[in-house]
Structure formats: structure tokens, C-alpha cells
Amino acid sequence: MSNIRHALTVKREDDFAKWYQEVISAADLAEESGVRGCMVIKPWGYGIWERVQRLMDDRIKQAGVQNTYFPIFIPLANFEREAAHVEGFAKEMAVVTHHRLIADGKGGLIPDPEAKLEEPLVVRPTSETIIGDAMSRWVQSWRDLPLLLNQWGNVVRWEMRTRMFLRTSEFLWQEGHTAHATREDALEETHRALEMYRACVEEDLALPVIAGEKPENERFPGADETWSIEAMMQDGKALQAGTSHYLGTNFAKAASIQYQDREGTQQYCHTTSWGTSTRLVGGLVMTHGDDDGLRVPPRVAPHQVIILPILRDKPEDEALLAYCEELRAGLVAHSALGEPVRVLLDKTPGKASAKRWDWVRRGAPVILEVGPRDMENGKVAAIRRDTLWNAETGKLATEFVLRDEFVSGIGALLEDIQGSLFSEASERRDANITRGVTEWDEVVQFYKSNGKYPGWVEVQWSKPTSEALEKVVERLKAEKLTIRNVPRGSDAADGACIFTGEPAVERILVARAY
Amino acid sequence: MSNIRHALTVKREDDFAKWYQEVISAADLAEESGVRGCMVIKPWGYGIWERVQRLMDDRIKQAGVQNTYFPIFIPLANFEREAAHVEGFAKEMAVVTHHRLIADGKGGLIPDPEAKLEEPLVVRPTSETIIGDAMSRWVQSWRDLPLLLNQWGNVVRWEMRTRMFLRTSEFLWQEGHTAHATREDALEETHRALEMYRACVEEDLALPVIAGEKPENERFPGADETWSIEAMMQDGKALQAGTSHYLGTNFAKAASIQYQDREGTQQYCHTTSWGTSTRLVGGLVMTHGDDDGLRVPPRVAPHQVIILPILRDKPEDEALLAYCEELRAGLVAHSALGEPVRVLLDKTPGKASAKRWDWVRRGAPVILEVGPRDMENGKVAAIRRDTLWNAETGKLATEFVLRDEFVSGIGALLEDIQGSLFSEASERRDANITRGVTEWDEVVQFYKSNGKYPGWVEVQWSKPTSEALEKVVERLKAEKLTIRNVPRGSDAADGACIFTGEPAVERILVARAY
């Protein structure tokens, strides 16, 4: 077997941003579409997203939340109703103004001036306002509560600087929207969704996250509380991987979502919303990718095992393909991580060694190469993507295993890979959170002197609000820093606020972020 | 049990269109959104669509087609390239012209004149042109073929007159797009997709269809051949339930989708596209609905069995709920139609009898009511939605069955319901296709005298083209008739063309249509 090291031209340590772009392309995840700010998600990238969707959707349904579908177009009036929301959202959005095209007389097309909409429509950036309209119709009495809805779909937020999966004008996501009788119920739902996200992202995508509350300045427009899960990328930056908002009665008042309580009194509902998006695929790349491409955790891998027969365009190929087909059938009859094993027998034309590297770059968890000699010996040559290289020899850590042993061990193998990727990421994350910093200058110094990928710093603060908070945000911004969240369950504060010197009330994570 | 007949206010025979609207609402499928031409798909309606999606997607993947995602926005230039396509599509579409809103100074919002797009973007009505762009990048050699892609998403076609599920400005669908080396391969794919649609719609939705080729005037804009599956609604009208197009090299030439063949020569690909949409849910209603609401075939029912405990707000409720939970657990451990049985134990507040009628209107295949007496006797009261009434007594055909017998028989019961709904629809369809009509006047007379819901007529024609075809279409249009398709595998023509008197070359189905 050939041992060409580094399937990519850029290493993470040299240029993380460039490396990211190269993995997106080399792993066949996505590409630029030619339409401003929009990407094309290719089959392997979309396959990963479909797996995330399926696993998240199972969790959503498990919680009794029902899927629905609301219009992609939102009338301007909906945005005008909720003041904070309009401030935060009614800016960079795609606006539909015409409903017909006509020939321009020069061989081209233009919007028909005769077909101008009376009221322009906005392509949804998020659906609180339009779902709020429906909630106001659907909720009448306490018996209708809680109302637990979710939607899978596309949204558009016009972005000036885009980066594939992380920030695109159009992206795919799910948005949960729920209405409750009381503040307590709504907060419980906010936390249930947050915990669901933590579990899915950690258990399925193998991305360790820290769940916590966002500071006031990072709240969703119109929310009373915003909670997030934050993941650390290999360059030490934070990626917000999911958010869950307690909206108080703000949207309920704007859309008139009211119910009659058991005593017959009209009350406003307390609502929540929560979302995760295709951004998670970007997080997957920046957490599990290495200098040979992507490594996909088995739970979200469209194919977990790739079988590559070494074909020679000779009559013997037939027997080899039969051997591989038997291998495939044996594997799919097994379960791993609670589901039947997903196997691809890749019979596409091309050299097995070239195809091996295609699958290394794409990050299939296990790649099997099977040649005539392996068949004779009843063996397979197995490559485990997460531990690709033998550190001692510097060669590919290929293992020649008896076919039957490989088949019966597939469940344990995939579980081990899933666990290893999570452990590796968790250890790196934990090693890169610095605690005990008590002076602002120390923080500034830390980010100046700690190399390219400095990680996160935990500090204590007095939770300033309004103008005082603005000043803090400015100081952070000058260092390109942000507050990620107040970790759930973190130790009580016991020192002084790093910004104001006042007694601290909580601990916050400070980091550079995507 | 109460025996209120007719859960709806309108009967099919009195006003089919009004009945349809009432079922959509009474079965909690969808409602108007307040946004022009767009509907809100409610949980039960969306649940049915999710089931259709899952089953169709399994068939799509089974065929080796890969899911992808392409931008919702399409530049005007893409539409300008393919002449026939621009003629057919570049008309009633939503056009995005601005990317920002600003305050209008009167408390409202307007598109920001400073944020006008240089080139307007169209919200996709279908994706041939943008997927063609990607195909031209992805296909280089014969080794890259066939390229088999599919996309699930939303599309927008601005509609003046809308009807829920059947014709809405925004709708959900899947669109398959494939590229092949030869005409033969592309035609084979066109027919594979058509046959996949027939199988899914007949086996999963229990809608009998007739697969065949559309006449030239009904072709997709830019296609060389368009094939369809046509279903008969209970008012005798036809519903086009899916289409599969052979696009020749038309789109390949417009988008430059070329490959190098084995001899090293550049060749244009032959492409196909095929689609089905949320329209299928409308077809389900108009085929299986009755005067009590919807009847959902078990395969596409989000819940196949509803358990309604008759609760009395007393301590005894606990034992009853435990009995029902045991019943639920017993049922979900069984399989029906190849999948675990889907059961809902409905514990929401409200009277069991009111809730029973909610589920009758929604069309859950089996509804179980369980009261304290049933529990004592180890029984359940079972209602089969497809045969709701006892014809002799005029009462609900409720059966009291031993719980264990019911549980062990659930697979057979659901299979029987699935089969019965299909048989009922097939028999009605077959009884309403009139054959052997040889004169145009007879056709006209048939539709004049054959009541409100006359069905379809099979006639023979000489397959006129261009102007001669236009004249035929005009004659049909005057009677509000359309040609549905030339049924696949129909008998050879043996008479004269009903329109021209010339020797006929094939048989066509004529019908009123949605």
C-alpha cells in the first residue's frame, strides 16, 4: 500500500482557515454555487446533514414536539410588531418585490413593473413572527398548552462575508417554537431543548460542548434569556452550536397568543424557540478534521464502512465481488450504536488506491480493501480513519483481519471510534480552557502571547448591564474577544469582577469565536 | 357510544370542492397562512407528508440516487439560457430585488433603495438550471456517469388561484435530476423513476394510478418526453400525481454538461428530471376521504392506532392508564407492513367521545376506546376507520375484542385496511373509465349527460402535432377537458382518430383535471 502522507496541501497548524476550505472541498462536502452567499451541499456533505437531522428529529419527536411547515415568505407587518425583534432582524434580509418576469427586449429578463407586490415579502430569516400568528389561532384554552412545534427548513440572512457551513446567506436548520401557560413551564422547555442539543451534539456528532446562558448583549432579538452550547474548534475558537431562547411574553404580546386559564381569565403565553443548523457540519470539520481530511464519527457517517474491491478488469473480479458482497451482507446484518451498520460496496471505476484516498479525505470511519490474496486467505485489509497512521513506522496503520472476526467485531469497532473521537476532542478542549485569570491585562496578554490557537479563558464578572455592559463588550471587541456563556453548573463566583473590580457574581467563558 | 352520523357539514355528492376544504380543516391537515398563496401545514398533515417522504426517500436511495441541496435563489441568467424553459417558467415567479429593509419614517419598513441587487434573483420554481450548472462542473468523463441526484425542498410558483395542497404558491417536493451518457440510459432512468412513483403512490398511499406518456402540449418546458402517473379523484377528475421527464440534450447544451467518452470524444449528456410534491396529500384526501373526514392508509399514517382511555378524573384512572400503556407497549412490539406499529396513547384533556370524532375526522386507521369495564373484561372497543359504520344497524361498527387478540392481530388488521382502501379506490377508478367511444360528439355528450362526476374516457387518436394538436387542445378546452396520458402498455390502436378521422396510432385518456 502506498503511504503518501497528507492527502491535503494545507496543514491545520499552518493556516486553519485555508485548511478548512480545503477539507470542505477535498471531502466532497460542499462548494460555491455561483449564487451570492449560497452554497451547494454535495452528496457526502448532505448525507452527514441527513444523519444529524434524523438523529435530532428522533429526539425532537421523543419529547412530544410535532413537526409542521410554515410559509417561507413573511409579510413586513409581522416584523414591525415586535420592537426588539425588528431591531435585530429586519436588516439584511432577502426582499421579494415582484411576482413576474418579462423580456427586457434585449434578450434578457427583468421584473415586470406591472407585477409589483402591494406589500413586499421577506424570505424568512427565522419564523417566530409567522408561527406566533398561528399560535394565536391555535391556542384558546389551558387545554391547548403546551403547544410544541418544530420546523425543518431553509432560512435566509443576507451575509456580506460568507464561509461555507458557518455563515451562508441561505442555510438549513430546524427551529422549535413552543407556547406554555407559565414562565416555569417555558423555562423548563428552554432547558429541555438545550439539554437535547447537548446530548445530540455530544453523543451523535461527538462534539464536546459547554451549555450555558448567553450574556444580555448576545441574546436573540426579543428574548428574555438565551442559552447556548459552545464547542471549541481546533484553532481554539468557539463555535455556537445551538441556541435555546426563553422569549417571555414578548412575542405572545406582539402576536396576541393568549389562553383562558382554569379560572377563566385571559393570560399571555410564555414562548420559547430553539435552533440548530447546517453550521454543525462546519463544527464537525473543525473538530474532527485532521491533516488528511475529515473524520466523520460513525453515528453521523452516511456510510460507516467502505468496501473497496481491488478489481483488475479480469474474469477473477467476479469471485472477488461475490466475496465483497458476502462481506457487505454480513456487516449490515450487525448493529452498531443502536442501528444496522451502514456499508457501501464501492464498485465505481478507478484504482482502489485512489479511491482509498477519496474515502480517507471524506472521513469514512472504516475503509476495507479486498484483493484476490485477501479473499484466498479469508481476510480483509482494514483502515481505521481515526487512527490512520502507525506512529512508529510512519506508515498507514492497516490491519489484516480475518473476515469473520472483522464482521463479528464491527459493532465494538464503530463504538470505539465514536468514543475515541469524542475523548480526543474533550481532552483537547479541556486542555485549552485556562482558569484562574483574575486581571484583564492577563487576559489581553494571554491572547497576545499564547500562539495562534490560544483557546478559552474563564473569568469572573459582576454581570454588568446596559452602559456598563457596553463598555465591557467594547473592551472585548478591541481584542477580538467575545463572551461565550455562563456555563451551566459552574462553581459560584468567589473573586472580583475582571472588568469592574466589583464583587463577581458568576463565571464566564471568554473566547474568539466564529 | 354516540352515533352522530357525518362528522362534516358537507357531503361529497353535494359539493366536492367545499367538502375538500372542510376535510382539510376538520382533519387538521392545513390552513391558510395569511401570506398570499401559502399555507400552513399542521402537525397531522405534515406527519402524513413526512411518512410519504420517508417511504419515497427509501426508494430513491435504494436506486442509488444521492440527496443534495442547491440554493433557493437562481440568477436570471440561468433562465435566459434554455429557450423553451424560459418560455414555460420565467413568468409567475417570486423575484428578490433587495437585500435590506429600512424604516420608512412612518413606523413601517420598506426595501432599502441603497440595497438593490445588481441582478435580481428568482426563488426557484424548479432547479434544472442551477443543478445543470453543478453537473457541468461534476461531470468530466464517462466514469462520472450516471450522475444521480435528488433534492427535497420548497419551490415557489406564483399562483393566482390557489387550493390547499393542490396549487399553492409555495409547495414542498422532491426533484430528481440525473445525467447519463446515452439516450437509452436516460430513458431507462425516466422509466425507473416513473415506476418508482407508481409503486410508492399505489403501495404506500393506496392511490391507484395510470402511468403513461403526456402528449406534446403537456410536456415540461424543455423536455423531449414527459411521463406521468394519473390518479382519479372521487369527483371523477384526474390528478397528476408525479412526473418524470426525459430532457434529451436540451439542458445539457444550455448548461454545457459534457463528458469525454471512452474514445476521448466530448459528448453532451442526456438528462432527466422527476418530481412529486405535497400535492399527493391532496390526492389522498380526494381519494380516501369520506363524509366523516379523512381515511389515512396505514402505511402513511403518522399514528396507525389511537388509544383513547375513558378517564373520569378519579383515582381509578391510574389503573386504566397502566392498562392502556401495557396495550401500547404490546402493539409497538409488533410489526405491520414491514415496520413497527405506530401507536398514540392520547392522554390530552377532553371527553373520549369528542376525541374519538377528532380522530375519525383525521382518519387514524384504528381507534381504540378503553373504559374501566373494558379493562375488567380484558377487552378493547375497536373502531376501524375504513369501515366506520354498520350498514345494517346504521350504528358505528365498533367491535369489542379481547386485548390480547387485538394485539396479536394488529399486523393483519393494518395490512387489511391498507389493501381495502386500495381495492375500493381501484374499483371506483376502473368503473369510471369509459372505453369504446369513437366519436367526438359522444365525448361531449358523455360529459354533458353523465352527472356531476363523469370520470374519464379512453379514445384513440392520430397523435397530431403542432397546429393540428393546437386545434385538438382548443376543442378539449372548450369542454374543460384535457388529455391525461397515453397509458403505458395499453392496447394498440385499431380505429380512427376521434379528432381528425385519420387512422389512430394510440389510445389516450381524456378527463377533467386538477
Side-chain angles (χ1 to χ4, degrees):
Chain A
M1 286 191 183
S2 91
N3 284 300
I4 313 154
R5 199 136 195 167
H6 306 303
L8 308 178
T9 64
V10 185
K11 291 185 191 182
R12 287 163 291 176
E13 62 185 58
D14 294 333
D15 188 334
F16 197 78
K18 230 171 142 181
W19 167 85
Y20 176 75
Q21 289 302 333
E22 191 177 7
V23 175
I24 296 290
S25 158
D28 275 338
L29 297 177
E31 65 182 27
E32 296 292 350
S33 66
V35 182
R36 227 201 113 289
C38 297
M39 66 177 176
V40 173
I41 309 182
K42 298 178 79 174
W44 185 248
Y46 195 79
I48 295 171
W49 174 241
E50 275 187 315
R51 286 291 308 159
V52 173
Q53 269 194 302
R54 177 73 62 105
L55 294 164
M56 186 74 85
D57 196 60
D58 286 348
R59 292 177 191 268
I60 288 170
K61 287 198 169 74
Q62 189 64 36
V65 179
Q66 296 186 297
N67 285 338
T68 49
Y69 192 75
F70 287 85
I72 185 166
F73 298 130
I74 302 183
L76 286 190
N78 285 48
F79 281 93
E80 292 160 356
R81 278 192 314 234
E82 216 285 323
H85 195 63
V86 74
E87 254 316 291
F89 266 104
K91 286 173 181 161
E92 296 298 328
M93 306 197 291
V95 189
V96 176
T97 55
H98 294 73
H99 66 80
R100 192 186 303 134
L101 294 170
I102 50 162
D104 65 356
K106 291 175 262 173
L109 294 165
I110 48 166
D112 184 352
E114 303 283 302
K116 202 172 167 186
L117 298 182
E118 275 182 36
E119 192 193 7
L121 293 170
V122 168
V123 181
R124 64 180 165 219
T126 181
S127 304
E128 275 74 10
T129 67
I130 194 138
I131 295 184
D133 281 352
M135 285 179 162
S136 76
R137 296 190 297 268
W138 299 354
V139 174
Q140 305 295 332
S141 129
W142 63 270
R143 284 184 200 84
D144 303 320
L145 298 172
L147 181 60
L148 310 174
L149 305 175
N150 180 61
Q151 168 170 288
W152 289 96
N154 51 348
V155 287
V156 172
R157 300 175 187 179
W158 209 261
E159 298 284 354
M160 286 303 146
R161 272 183 297 276
T162 61
R163 199 189 294 231
M164 277 194 276
F165 287 110
L166 301 177
R167 194 176 295 279
T168 48
S169 289
E170 181 190 19
F171 58 92
L172 304 181
W173 78 340
Q174 62 65 221
E175 45 181 321
H177 296 272
T178 69
H180 306 263
T182 65
R183 179 171 188 277
E184 292 63 42
D185 288 356
L187 279 171
E188 194 181 316
E189 173 64 16
T190 306
H191 288 283
R192 186 207 60 77
L194 187 75
E195 174 54 23
M196 173 181 75
Y197 287 162
R198 186 210 57 76
C200 177
V201 172
E202 292 201 332
E203 294 164 15
D204 301 335
L205 287 95
L207 306 184
V209 294
I210 290 179
E213 190 180 357
K214 286 282 194 190
E216 191 189 311
N217 63 303
E218 299 268 359
R219 271 184 209 145
F220 176 79
D224 278 4
E225 292 182 17
T226 286
W227 294 72
S228 74
I229 51 170
E230 303 281 336
M232 186 189 286
M233 305 296 100
Q234 288 183 70
D235 62 354
K237 284 194 191 170
L239 182 81
Q240 181 176 294
T243 47
S244 182
H245 316 289
Y246 167 59
L247 305 173
T249 54
N250 306 329
F251 284 86
K253 282 178 178 159
S256 196
I257 313 171
Q258 286 182 287
Y259 72 97
Q260 199 169 51
D261 67 16
R262 283 168 202 252
E263 285 71 44
T265 314
Q266 285 293 109
Q267 304 275 7
Y268 281 110
C269 287
H270 293 253
T271 67
T272 84
S273 69
W274 28 274
T276 52
S277 73
T278 33
R279 179 163 238 237
L280 286 172
V281 179
L284 195 85
V285 171
M286 292 193 292
T287 303
H288 299 308
D290 67 14
D291 291 341
D292 296 303
L294 181 57
R295 299 182 299 170
V296 188
R299 250 191 228 277
V300 293
H303 310 300
Q304 297 168 315
V305 182
I306 308 294
I307 304 174
L308 293 176
I310 301 171
L311 301 171
R312 287 151 205 274
D313 261 332
K314 287 184 182 165
E316 297 90 271
D317 285 356
E318 212 169 305
L320 186 66
L321 280 173
Y323 180 81
C324 288
E325 177 51 40
E326 215 178 302
L327 171 60
R328 195 197 64 79
L331 287 168
V332 299
H334 278 69
S335 275
L337 300 154
E339 290 177 274
V341 177
R342 295 182 293 282
V343 185
L344 178 75
L345 170 49
D346 183 351
K347 293 186 269 189
T348 54
K351 272 197 168 181
S353 64
K355 285 162 66 180
R356 175 211 307 157
W357 284 102
D358 288 342
W359 288 112
V360 164
R361 284 188 294 266
R362 289 179 195 134
V366 180
I367 303 164
L368 300 182
E369 290 180 37
V370 187
R373 202 148 25 124
D374 304 310
M375 178 172 69
E376 269 169 47
N377 302 331
K379 289 193 169 178
V380 298
I383 296 176
R384 193 176 146 151
R385 178 60 184 91
D386 62 324
T387 52
L388 193 60
W389 301 99
N390 181 320
E392 283 175 32
T393 64
K395 292 187 177 173
L396 280 176
T398 310
E399 283 198 66
F400 294 85
V401 198
L402 283 172
R403 182 179 73 172
D404 297 348
E405 263 174 40
F406 181 84
V407 170
S408 62
I410 186 63
L413 176 62
L414 292 172
E415 275 159 43
D416 191 55
I417 296 174
Q418 182 81 26
S420 295
L421 287 171
F422 183 70
S423 302
E424 188 186 316
S426 300
E427 282 161 24
R428 186 175 52 235
R429 194 264 316 263
D430 293 344
N432 285 288
I433 299 181
T434 301
R435 294 169 212 273
V437 180
T438 54
E439 301 293 330
W440 172 243
D441 287 347
E442 265 186 88
V443 173
V444 175
Q445 202 47 45
F446 176 87
Y447 282 97
K448 285 221 165 85
S449 62
N450 222 343
K452 277 165 101 170
Y453 309 143
W456 304 353
V457 174
E458 187 202 78
V459 300
Q460 304 194 19
W461 80 338
S462 58
K463 202 177 181 176
T465 54
S466 53
E467 272 179 52
L469 177 59
E470 270 173 45
K471 275 184 195 160
V472 167
V473 172
E474 270 167 41
R475 280 163 77 180
L476 288 161
K477 211 172 169 185
E479 305 299 325
K480 293 183 185 161
L481 291 170
T482 58
I483 302 170
R484 303 319 301 160
N485 65 25
V486 178
R488 196 171 59 175
S490 58
D491 292 340
D494 57 7
C497 173
I498 200 166
F499 303 107
T500 63
E502 290 165 23
V505 300
E506 59 193 16
R507 291 165 195 268
I508 57 174
L509 286 172
V510 166
R512 294 195 172 134
Y514 282 96
Chain B
M1 285 192 183
S2 89
N3 284 299
I4 312 155
R5 194 131 202 175
H6 306 304
L8 308 178
T9 64
V10 186
K11 291 185 189 180
R12 288 163 290 176
E13 62 185 58
D14 293 333
D15 188 333
F16 197 78
K18 232 171 141 181
W19 167 85
Y20 176 75
Q21 290 301 334
E22 191 177 8
V23 176
I24 296 290
S25 159
D28 274 339
L29 297 177
E31 65 183 27
E32 297 291 350
S33 66
V35 182
R36 228 202 113 286
C38 297
M39 65 177 178
V40 174
I41 309 182
K42 299 178 79 173
W44 184 248
Y46 195 79
I48 295 171
W49 174 241
E50 275 188 314
R51 285 291 309 159
V52 173
Q53 268 194 305
R54 177 74 61 106
L55 294 164
M56 186 73 85
D57 196 59
D58 286 349
R59 293 177 191 267
I60 288 170
K61 287 199 169 71
Q62 188 64 38
V65 180
Q66 296 186 297
N67 284 339
T68 49
Y69 190 76
F70 288 85
I72 187 168
F73 297 130
I74 302 184
L76 286 189
N78 285 47
F79 282 92
E80 293 160 355
R81 276 190 317 231
E82 216 285 323
H85 195 63
V86 74
E87 254 316 293
F89 266 104
K91 286 174 182 160
E92 296 297 329
M93 306 196 293
V95 190
V96 176
T97 55
H98 294 73
H99 66 80
R100 192 186 304 135
L101 294 171
I102 49 162
D104 65 358
K106 292 175 259 172
L109 294 164
I110 50 166
D112 183 351
E114 303 282 302
K116 201 171 166 187
L117 299 182
E118 275 182 38
E119 192 193 8
L121 294 170
V122 168
V123 181
R124 64 181 165 217
T126 181
S127 304
E128 275 74 9
T129 68
I130 194 138
I131 294 184
D133 280 353
M135 284 179 162
S136 77
R137 296 190 297 268
W138 298 354
V139 174
Q140 304 294 332
S141 128
W142 62 271
R143 285 183 199 85
D144 303 320
L145 298 173
L147 180 61
L148 310 174
L149 305 175
N150 180 61
Q151 169 169 289
W152 289 96
N154 52 347
V155 287
V156 172
R157 300 174 186 178
W158 209 261
E159 297 284 354
M160 287 303 145
R161 271 182 297 277
T162 60
R163 197 188 294 232
M164 276 194 275
F165 287 111
L166 301 176
R167 194 176 296 277
T168 47
S169 288
E170 181 191 19
F171 58 92
L172 304 181
W173 78 341
Q174 61 65 221
E175 45 181 321
H177 296 272
T178 70
H180 307 263
T182 64
R183 180 172 189 276
E184 291 64 42
D185 288 356
L187 279 171
E188 194 181 315
E189 173 64 16
T190 307
H191 287 283
R192 186 208 59 77
L194 186 75
E195 174 55 21
M196 173 181 74
Y197 286 162
R198 185 208 60 73
C200 178
V201 172
E202 293 201 331
E203 293 164 15
D204 301 335
L205 287 96
L207 305 184
V209 294
I210 289 178
E213 190 180 357
K214 286 281 193 190
E216 191 188 312
N217 62 303
E218 299 269 359
R219 271 183 209 146
F220 176 78
D224 279 4
E225 292 182 18
T226 285
W227 294 71
S228 74
I229 50 170
E230 303 281 335
M232 186 190 285
M233 304 295 101
Q234 288 184 71
D235 62 353
K237 283 195 191 171
L239 183 81
Q240 181 175 295
T243 48
S244 183
H245 316 288
Y246 167 59
L247 305 173
T249 55
N250 305 328
F251 284 85
K253 282 177 179 159
S256 196
I257 312 170
Q258 286 181 287
Y259 71 97
Q260 198 169 52
D261 66 17
R262 283 168 201 252
E263 284 72 43
T265 313
Q266 285 293 110
Q267 303 276 6
Y268 282 110
C269 287
H270 293 252
T271 67
T272 84
S273 69
W274 28 274
T276 51
S277 74
T278 33
R279 180 163 239 235
L280 286 171
V281 179
L284 196 85
V285 172
M286 293 193 291
T287 302
H288 299 308
D290 66 14
D291 292 341
D292 296 303
L294 181 57
R295 300 182 299 171
V296 187
R299 250 191 228 277
V300 293
H303 310 300
Q304 297 167 317
V305 182
I306 308 293
I307 304 173
L308 294 176
I310 301 171
L311 302 171
R312 286 152 206 273
D313 261 331
K314 288 185 181 164
E316 298 90 272
D317 285 356
E318 212 170 304
L320 187 65
L321 279 173
Y323 179 81
C324 288
E325 178 50 38
E326 214 179 302
L327 172 60
R328 196 197 62 80
L331 287 168
V332 299
H334 278 70
S335 275
L337 300 154
E339 290 178 274
V341 177
R342 296 183 293 281
V343 184
L344 178 75
L345 170 49
D346 183 351
K347 294 186 269 189
T348 54
K351 273 196 165 179
S353 63
K355 285 163 66 181
R356 175 211 304 157
W357 284 102
D358 288 342
W359 287 111
V360 164
R361 284 188 293 265
R362 287 178 197 137
V366 180
I367 303 163
L368 300 182
E369 289 179 38
V370 188
R373 198 145 33 119
D374 304 311
M375 179 173 67
E376 269 170 45
N377 301 331
K379 289 193 169 180
V380 297
I383 297 177
R384 194 175 146 153
R385 179 59 184 91
D386 63 323
T387 51
L388 193 61
W389 300 100
N390 181 320
E392 283 174 33
T393 63
K395 292 186 176 173
L396 279 175
T398 310
E399 283 197 66
F400 294 87
V401 197
L402 282 172
R403 181 179 75 172
D404 296 349
E405 262 175 40
F406 181 84
V407 169
S408 62
I410 187 62
L413 175 63
L414 291 172
E415 276 159 42
D416 191 55
I417 296 174
Q418 182 80 26
S420 295
L421 286 170
F422 184 69
S423 302
E424 188 186 316
S426 300
E427 282 161 25
R428 186 175 52 236
R429 195 265 314 265
D430 294 343
N432 284 288
I433 299 181
T434 301
R435 294 169 210 273
V437 180
T438 55
E439 300 291 331
W440 172 244
D441 286 348
E442 265 186 88
V443 174
V444 175
Q445 201 47 45
F446 176 86
Y447 281 97
K448 285 222 164 81
S449 61
N450 222 344
K452 277 166 101 169
Y453 307 144
W456 304 355
V457 174
E458 186 202 77
V459 300
Q460 304 194 17
W461 80 337
S462 57
K463 202 178 183 175
T465 55
S466 54
E467 271 179 52
L469 176 59
E470 270 172 45
K471 275 185 194 160
V472 167
V473 172
E474 270 167 40
R475 278 162 80 179
L476 288 161
K477 210 172 169 184
E479 305 299 325
K480 295 183 184 162
L481 291 169
T482 59
I483 302 170
R484 302 321 301 162
N485 66 23
V486 179
R488 197 171 59 174
S490 58
D491 293 340
D494 57 7
C497 173
I498 201 167
F499 302 106
T500 64
E502 289 166 23
V505 300
E506 59 194 14
R507 291 165 196 268
I508 58 174
L509 286 173
V510 166
R512 293 191 175 137
Y514 282 95

